[in-house]
Amino acid sequence: NEVLRLHGVSKTYGKDGPAPVEVLSGIDLSVARGEVVALVAPSGAGKSTLLHIAGLLDTPDEGQVALNGRDMTGLPDKARTEARRAELGFVYQFHHLLPEFTAAENIILPQLADGVAARAASARATDLLDRVGLAHRAAHRPAELSGGEQQRVAFCRALANQPALLLADEPTGNLDPETSDRVFDMLMALVRETGLSALIATHNHDLAGRMDRIITLGRPLA
Ligand code: ADP
Ligand code: ADP
């Protein structure tokens, strides 16, 4: 019952050039349904590369990536894009919200793109914002929100299309420690309430310790 499985995944940048960089070598990892896994790695260990491969944004040189038991390796781009839209949610260190749209609209738009009716999309946005304590901020644009509020809206957007798996790269890394703590708890609550699975990269060992399991990448820090 695995949402994500990477098997023997290897990646080298500049493979055929003069200075190849081997980033990942024979990586095996899995995320079970409902599980929240921390990915802890020193900078440069290949965390972003691994998340991009898991997120079907990049392909490994060797190995397989399966989502919900379905091998995605070698599928055409169109099928990978469809699977990404249907099954994955993304959160980054920076919110990447559309500046000219309100918080609610930022959560509604991906749903409309996915064929959800306007009324249902709006109701879901309201519900998600309410869960992260931002019901009163629905009509505000990103620039009018604090960093922590912007990230909470980004979490809602990532969950808008009810993905099976959330992939997050330092989701609170841009926030001061206190805000990071609070906002991370909200993300965890949101993930638990919706029964989502997640792979969350973080440098923060305290946050990693709150997840179900920790996977380390590269050499452990001395
Ligand atoms: P992390 O997210 O753990 O910091 P990355 O996955 O971003 O690591 O990068 C791992 C290594 O691969 C780094 O040494 C980085 O410089 C290198 N790298 C990343 N992307 C490319 C690329 N497109 N071409 C060449 N080297 C790259
Ligand atoms: P990182 O922390 O990995 O550097 P950024 O905060 O720079 O990430 O986010 C930009 C990343 O989003 C790019 O590296 C790009 O690969 C990725 N990306 C591109 N298209 C999509 C997409 N459709 N959905 C999610 N992420 C995407």
Side-chain angles (χ1 to χ4, degrees):
N1 206 0
E2 291 169 346
V3 177
L4 174 70
R5 155 75 62 182
L6 265 55
H7 179 68
V9 164
S10 299
K11 182 76 181 181
T12 298
Y13 289 110
K15 221 174 168 17
D16 304 316
V21 182
E22 184 185 66
V23 179
L24 302 175
S25 175
I27 300 288
D28 291 305
L29 73 81
S30 67
V31 178
R33 194 163 304 283
E35 194 180 30
V36 178
V37 176
L39 180 64
V40 176
S43 190
K47 173 176 61 68
S48 299
T49 302
L50 192 151
L51 286 173
H52 281 163
I53 288 173
L56 309 180
L57 294 161
D58 198 356
T59 48
D61 300 326
E62 282 168 56
Q64 286 90 43
V65 180
L67 277 183
N68 290 318
R70 180 178 171 220
D71 187 7
M72 309 308 286
T73 322
L75 287 186
D77 282 350
K78 188 162 175 287
R80 292 161 56 83
T81 301
E82 273 167 21
R84 187 187 313 134
R85 287 211 182 128
E87 299 182 46
L88 300 174
F90 296 89
V91 178
Y92 301 98
Q93 189 167 345
F94 183 68
H95 58 77
H96 295 293
L97 296 169
L98 299 170
E100 66 273 44
F101 292 99
T102 67
E105 287 165 349
N106 267 281
I107 303 167
I108 290 169
L109 286 170
Q111 299 182 74
L112 298 183
D114 216 36
V116 177
R119 185 184 291 259
S122 174
R124 177 147 177 86
T126 302
D127 175 57
L128 285 167
L129 284 169
D130 192 38
R131 286 172 190 271
V132 296
L134 288 180
H136 61 302
R137 295 299 220 162
H140 291 249
R141 293 194 180 154
E144 299 168 316
L145 304 176
S146 72
E149 288 169 341
Q150 290 167 345
Q151 279 309 88
R152 280 140 74 190
V153 176
F155 300 162
C156 294
R157 182 193 47 190
L159 271 62
N161 287 341
Q162 301 180 265
L165 177 69
L166 177 73
L167 295 170
D169 196 350
E170 299 282 354
T172 63
N174 201 28
L175 306 172
D176 65 77
E178 220 171 281
T179 307
S180 165
D181 229 51
R182 270 189 322 113
V183 167
F184 183 82
D185 282 342
M186 285 186 184
L187 175 62
M188 286 297 280
L190 200 55
V191 165
R192 298 301 191 193
E193 282 165 19
T194 52
L196 197 65
S197 312
L199 181 61
I200 303 178
T202 180
H203 281 112
N204 185 322
H205 289 264
D206 176 47
L207 299 187
R210 297 187 214 171
M211 302 186 217
D212 298 325
R213 188 154 58 87
I214 299 177
I215 294 174
T216 50
L217 195 62
R219 272 177 229 94
L221 289 172

